[in-house]
Amino acid sequence: MEESKIERRACVRFKIPGATVSYQKKTMFFTKPGFIEEFCPLLDISRGGVRFLAQNLLKQNTEVMIKISVPGERIPFTMKGAVKWASPAEGKTYKYQVGVQFHPYGETKDQNLPGNLVKIIALEQKFLEKDEEDKEAPDSKKDEFQI
């Protein structure tokens, strides 16, 4: 019996060219200064999580704080979440791909600020349209008339 691939994610993933991730593991109150790794390439992001490349292996369920820097944006935004998976990366520069699920949005201590959801939605609208335009561009050549 053939198993069909079903997208389990409720949120659309999109790419942000040149975006990076810096992260730190949760300690008692994220009190250790500085990030473990900085400027890791962001592979894709959604309202519910992020996928990025890293040199260090992060164990499943590790609580992390992530700073996301977007080209053209003056101030990076910070998200809290938990590592859901990590696997070897195909390239040689970074050893691992890491998937982090964001904590829920809200006003309590371990939640992400609702303003960050608004920020991600705005980025989604901006960069998802670019992805779709890029995908349509090569197909437009098929409509050319040739003699």
Side-chain angles (χ1 to χ4, degrees):
M1 189 161 134
E2 191 175 311
E3 201 174 308
S4 63
K5 290 187 177 183
I6 299 172
E7 180 64 45
R8 297 177 306 166
R9 292 163 186 83
C11 304
V12 177
R13 291 179 285 173
F14 59 97
K15 295 175 179 14
I16 303 174
T20 61
V21 169
S22 300
Y23 70 88
Q24 68 183 111
K25 293 180 187 177
K26 183 177 182 180
T27 55
M28 189 74 134
F29 301 103
F30 288 110
T31 53
K32 283 188 177 178
F35 289 88
I36 294 171
E37 244 182 295
E38 296 185 284
F39 309 112
C40 300
L42 183 145
L43 296 175
D44 58 46
I45 187 171
S46 73
R47 298 175 192 187
V50 66
R51 181 171 62 113
F52 62 93
L53 295 174
Q55 291 293 352
N56 299 312
L57 178 62
L58 290 166
K59 293 180 183 173
Q60 190 173 9
N61 298 320
T62 300
E63 297 284 321
V64 291
M65 184 182 308
I66 295 175
K67 180 173 69 173
I68 300 170
S69 301
V70 178
E73 301 285 328
R74 296 167 102 197
I75 302 170
F77 62 101
T78 303
M79 299 294 291
K80 297 173 187 172
V83 174
K84 288 298 166 187
W85 59 269
S87 65
E90 294 178 12
K92 294 180 181 177
T93 307
Y94 290 89
K95 295 179 184 175
Y96 304 99
Q97 279 189 60
V98 180
V100 172
Q101 181 178 27
F102 297 144
H103 289 327
Y105 297 92
E107 300 292 335
T108 63
K109 178 184 159 193
D110 285 326
Q111 293 181 325
N112 288 301
L113 296 173
N116 286 350
L117 176 58
V118 173
K119 176 77 172 167
I120 292 172
I121 291 170
L123 291 169
E124 178 183 301
Q125 291 172 347
K126 179 178 178 181
F127 290 100
L128 196 55
E129 289 174 8
K130 282 187 178 182
D131 279 353
E132 289 172 3
E133 287 173 10
D134 291 345
K135 288 177 185 174
E136 289 175 10
D139 294 339
S140 63
K141 291 180 182 178
K142 293 179 184 176
D143 295 335
E144 290 179 7
F145 181 75
Q146 295 181 4
I147 298 178

